[in-house]
Amino acid sequence: MKCFSCFSSSKKKDERNAATTTSAGTNTEGASSSAPPENPVENSPFPKRFIYQELVVATNNFRDVIGEGGFGIVYKGFLEETEQEVAVKQLKVDLKGQEGKNEFNAEVMFLGRLHHPNLINLIGSCAYDEQRLIVYEFMPQGSLKDHLFDLKQGQQPLDWYTRMRIAFGVAKGLEYMHEKVTPPVIFRDLKPSNILLDENFNPKLSDLGLARLGPEGDETHVTTLVRGTYGYHAPEYLATGHLKVKSDVYSFGIVLLELISGKRASDLVRQANVPNLVTWGRRMLNLNDKSRYLRLRDPLIKDNFSPEGFIRALAVVLVCLSEDVSARPMMTDVVLTLGPLAARPNENLSSTSLPQLPNEMNKPEDASTS
Ligand SMILES: Nc1ncnc2c1ncn2[C@@H]1O[C@H](COP(=O)(O)OP(=O)(O)OP(=O)(O)O)[C@@H](O)[C@H]1O
């Protein structure tokens, strides 16, 4: 927790500037002026401190529930002052314990300092008595979970390219957290319900309540209690509590496999005698039988499918899910590989523009669509 305090003690503006630096040496709050043009920073660097009554008004007395998670209920709201639709999360605060407040502090601290188009925009927060509320930009398409599993009647499944675009955006968000800020930030709870979608299905990572500052200098990991969601943890983190940026890479591999297969990691884990998603995926891929690869594809993905992109995406899954932590790629490599896969054919990206894959990523042979 010593690194954590260098963030959390930074209430004053000048102290905050010292807290997190980008790899270019500028602080993340200043990143709004120094970010590269392709990564415009949308977020206000100074989230608002709301008074409780403002949020009562904004949410019409907490009437319209958007969703509920383990840490609280999320309500729809509207801020008259800025004419902005918002989502307001009211954290369950366990009066006997610190857990809810810790999540709140971590989320407000991280989101207040990290700014990227693929991270949710924190509009503000409110700490009133035992109440803890967080105000985010509203994401009209909800979470990836709502579009991947248990679709409602008549709901259109995500097509292949949208899935790849979502994976690409998530990879960019993680790349930013791991590689563009110092010290790195480990998300620790990557899963579809923490990937929110804007009106154009661009993804934004949310729920940084469990995030941790990563190791600095020569250290390879931070040691923590195992937290997060069962089914998404890297095996070494589960076994030892040693958390690394590559633990997130493993979770990303699982989410990518979920996007490809439409199967839920967590459901399969709970069922007796059924291999979990990772075991099942690996079994299919190791059988050197091309027709089996295609059985990993979500049957809801129909037209506009790219067999070459499919194989490459599976190769990314395989390396991200390596048991050997050092064999897992950095998110920058994943971003480079997924970028071209996210482009629809009419977006004019030929296969020759695909980046060279590391050897392990070329493992699966090419497959046909038949
Ligand atoms: N900014 C937002 N805009 C729109 N919908 C949101 C927003 N934030 C959360 N939601 C919705 O509320 C649901 C609950 O979110 P929340 O982060 O509280 O829990 P969760 O991630 O689903 O579960 P848990 O936190 O227990 O792992 C989300 O799945 C999503 O559908």
Side-chain angles (χ1 to χ4, degrees):
M1 294 297 274
K2 73 178 160 45
C3 301
F4 198 78
S5 62
C6 81
F7 257 103
S8 58
S9 64
S10 53
K11 273 190 190 137
K12 288 181 230 144
K13 225 190 279 181
D14 53 344
E15 287 172 334
R16 292 171 80 171
N17 287 346
T20 309
T21 54
T22 64
S23 52
T26 52
N27 66 71
T28 48
E29 294 185 342
S32 44
S33 54
S34 61
E38 67 273 21
N39 270 351
V41 175
E42 306 165 336
N43 303 355
S44 156
F46 301 111
K48 178 173 172 173
R49 291 199 174 196
F50 286 92
I51 56 170
Y52 186 67
Q53 194 54 32
E54 282 179 293
L55 297 183
V56 171
V57 172
T59 58
N60 199 8
N61 207 6
F62 302 102
R63 214 153 270 167
D64 189 359
V65 174
I66 310 174
E68 181 166 3
F71 298 121
I73 300 179
V74 183
Y75 300 89
K76 178 90 186 282
F78 185 77
L79 300 177
E80 291 285 351
E81 198 186 339
T82 50
E83 298 190 342
Q84 211 174 358
E85 286 187 307
V86 291
V88 179
K89 188 191 282 188
Q90 187 170 40
L91 278 98
K92 291 176 191 160
V93 179
D94 176 358
L95 295 179
K96 294 183 204 112
Q98 267 298 110
E99 196 182 17
K101 287 174 190 165
N102 289 344
E103 309 297 345
F104 172 86
N105 291 337
E107 177 125 34
V108 170
M109 176 190 67
F110 281 119
L111 283 180
R113 287 157 179 73
L114 301 177
H115 302 293
H116 186 272
N118 297 109
L119 288 193
I120 193 81
N121 184 10
L122 173 74
I123 293 171
S125 62
C126 169
Y128 167 72
D129 203 3
E130 290 300 321
Q131 295 275 2
R132 296 292 181 276
L133 301 111
I134 308 182
V135 184
Y136 309 91
E137 66 180 310
F138 176 68
M139 297 292 279
Q141 296 289 356
S143 79
L144 173 60
K145 182 175 152 218
D146 305 328
H147 294 270
L148 210 47
F149 312 121
D150 305 328
L151 301 190
K152 296 188 194 97
Q153 212 172 5
Q155 188 181 352
Q156 280 299 313
L158 297 171
D159 68 35
W160 172 254
Y161 290 100
T162 305
R163 290 177 199 229
M164 288 303 102
R165 193 148 53 80
I166 291 170
F168 179 52
V170 171
K172 283 197 294 182
L174 288 177
E175 176 195 35
Y176 166 74
M177 290 170 68
H178 292 174
E179 297 167 53
K180 311 284 184 198
V181 294
T182 308
V185 176
I186 306 176
F187 188 48
R188 206 162 49 140
D189 198 17
L190 186 69
K191 57 180 176 176
S193 70
N194 287 342
I195 298 168
L196 300 178
L197 302 168
D198 73 8
E199 61 281 13
N200 299 316
F201 289 92
N202 294 312
K204 298 198 183 202
L205 301 173
S206 89
D207 242 346
L208 272 77
L210 295 182
R212 284 293 305 266
L213 290 179
E216 286 184 279
D218 293 339
E219 289 168 15
T220 58
H221 62 266
V222 289
T223 305
T224 114
L225 286 176
V226 175
R227 299 283 308 278
T229 307
Y230 195 60
Y232 295 86
H233 291 311
E236 74 285 350
Y237 175 51
L238 263 184
T240 62
H242 291 177
L243 185 68
K244 308 173 181 195
V245 289
K246 298 279 184 92
S247 316
D248 278 349
V249 176
Y250 186 93
S251 307
F252 177 83
I254 295 190
V255 171
L256 184 55
L257 187 52
E258 290 185 310
L259 272 163
I260 291 170
S261 68
K263 292 197 177 6
R264 225 190 270 254
S266 44
D267 269 8
L268 290 175
V269 169
R270 281 192 214 111
Q271 290 173 33
N273 303 323
V274 176
N276 70 31
L277 185 60
V278 174
T279 313
W280 175 73
R282 280 206 191 108
R283 197 181 288 168
M284 294 287 192
L285 288 169
N286 285 337
L287 278 172
N288 209 11
D289 170 356
K290 291 173 193 167
S291 64
R292 290 221 171 211
Y293 299 164
L294 286 166
R295 282 170 53 185
L296 285 165
R297 166 181 163 186
D298 185 344
L300 297 176
I301 302 172
K302 300 231 183 305
D303 307 328
N304 254 337
F305 172 71
S306 156
E308 184 187 6
F310 176 72
I311 293 300
R312 284 180 176 257
L314 283 179
V316 176
V317 169
L318 258 190
V319 275
C320 290
L321 295 182
S322 300
E323 297 277 332
D324 175 4
V325 181
S326 63
R328 288 178 209 152
M330 294 300 288
M331 288 314 297
T332 295
D333 302 320
V334 175
V335 166
L336 278 172
T337 307
L338 290 181
L341 309 193
R344 289 172 197 276
N346 59 9
E347 286 175 303
N348 200 21
L349 266 166
S350 69
S351 59
T352 51
S353 65
L354 291 168
Q356 194 65 40
L357 295 170
N359 279 343
E360 321 85 281
M361 284 183 158
N362 282 318
K363 224 175 181 179
E365 299 285 279
D366 218 357
S368 69
T369 32
S370 59

